[in-house]
Structures are given as structure tokens and as C-alpha cells.
Amino acid sequence: MNHAVEHFLHVLQEQDADAAALAAFEAAHGITLPPALRELYQVMNGQESEVLNAVPYRLLPLAEIPQVQARLLAHIEQAFGADWAAFRLPDFEDGEAVREVLFDAARLPVFQNTNNDFYCLDFIPAPDGVQGQIIAVMGEPTPADMAQ
């Protein structure tokens, strides 16, 4: 039993992100992380994906965020085709706060759930939105998902 507890704690405690790593991440993305999230990354720079076997959400390590973005964009390009940027949801209800786009690099996935969906910091909000608001993004959307 001790091995299981030690392994679980190891999975939860990735190495922290130092000030230089956080500054480099913010500069690369042209953003400033919210203070509470910045502090969380200073204590724990994300969690391994296997943590999803034990808890329903995980904090993505800073280094994994661009990889997740690339994977999301590649999936959207494959599923929606060359005109993916023109795709509009039939019943989009958050238009005043959230821009209706399938992907934008200014949406940074920071949390992942067991359904492979992501919670993103939205740095491109609609006019009534808030810079850095948290929005949910489907991990692997398809046109059929969007029609429902």
C-alpha cells in the first residue's frame, strides 16, 4: 500500500516552474498568467497524464500546453477541413463573452479532464468577456458533435 501512496504523490507533484520558466512561457504566448495560476505553477508545474486515473482533472505542465494546442489544431483541421475557421455553431449561446471560434492560439489549455476536454484561459474574449476567462473546449470535436 505504501508504494501506491508514494506513486500517487509523485504523480501529483511535478517539479515546480521557476520564475524564469514562467516568464519565458508568458513571453512566448504574449500573455500574463493570472496571479493565482502563476502561484500554482510555482508550487507544482502540472501533473502527469496518469493522474487522470485517480482524479477527474489535471493541471497541464507548461511545456505540454503548446503540444496540446498543436494536437487540438491538427484534429480540427482534419475534422473540419480547410475552412475550419469559418465554421459556426448552430446554437452558440455565449457570443457576448466568448468568441465563436474552434481554435485560437490565444486560448491556453491549462486543465484537462478525464473526457479529454480542456479548460482554457481565453485571451481573445468577445466584447463582454474578461481577458483570461476560463472556457471549456472539447478535446476532439467533430462536425456531428457541433450539430447537436
Side-chain angles (χ1 to χ4, degrees):
M1 180 69 161
N2 283 342
H3 175 70
V5 170
E6 289 174 13
H7 180 68
F8 180 72
L9 291 175
H10 170 73
V11 169
L12 289 179
Q13 297 178 2
E14 283 285 314
Q15 187 176 6
D16 59 339
D18 62 21
L22 284 162
F25 178 84
E26 290 174 329
H29 293 280
I31 56 99
T32 299
L33 291 170
L37 186 60
R38 194 173 215 287
E39 186 175 327
L40 179 58
Y41 274 112
Q42 288 175 322
V43 174
M44 178 180 68
N45 184 10
Q47 297 163 296
E48 296 176 13
S49 60
E50 64 189 65
V51 78
L52 291 172
N53 295 327
V55 295
Y57 299 93
R58 77 175 180 116
L59 178 67
L60 293 172
L62 292 175
E64 193 175 333
I65 291 172
Q67 297 166 9
V68 168
Q69 286 182 306
R71 194 171 68 236
L72 290 171
L73 180 57
H75 173 79
I76 287 169
E77 289 173 337
Q78 180 182 7
F80 291 86
D83 291 334
W84 66 266
F87 185 85
R88 295 295 173 257
L89 301 169
D91 296 318
F92 189 70
E93 298 175 358
D94 298 321
E96 288 84 34
V98 179
R99 284 190 37 225
E100 187 180 357
V101 295
L102 292 174
F103 177 85
D104 193 293
R107 288 184 174 162
L108 301 179
V110 290
F111 286 96
Q112 178 186 18
N113 69 18
T114 54
N115 294 327
N116 199 33
D117 296 327
F118 297 91
Y119 296 88
C120 301
L121 295 177
D122 182 9
F123 289 98
I124 54 149
D128 290 346
V130 176
Q131 192 74 258
Q133 65 192 356
I134 297 175
I135 62 168
V137 174
M138 290 181 84
E140 296 184 347
T142 65
D145 292 329
M146 302 302 178
Q148 298 175 4

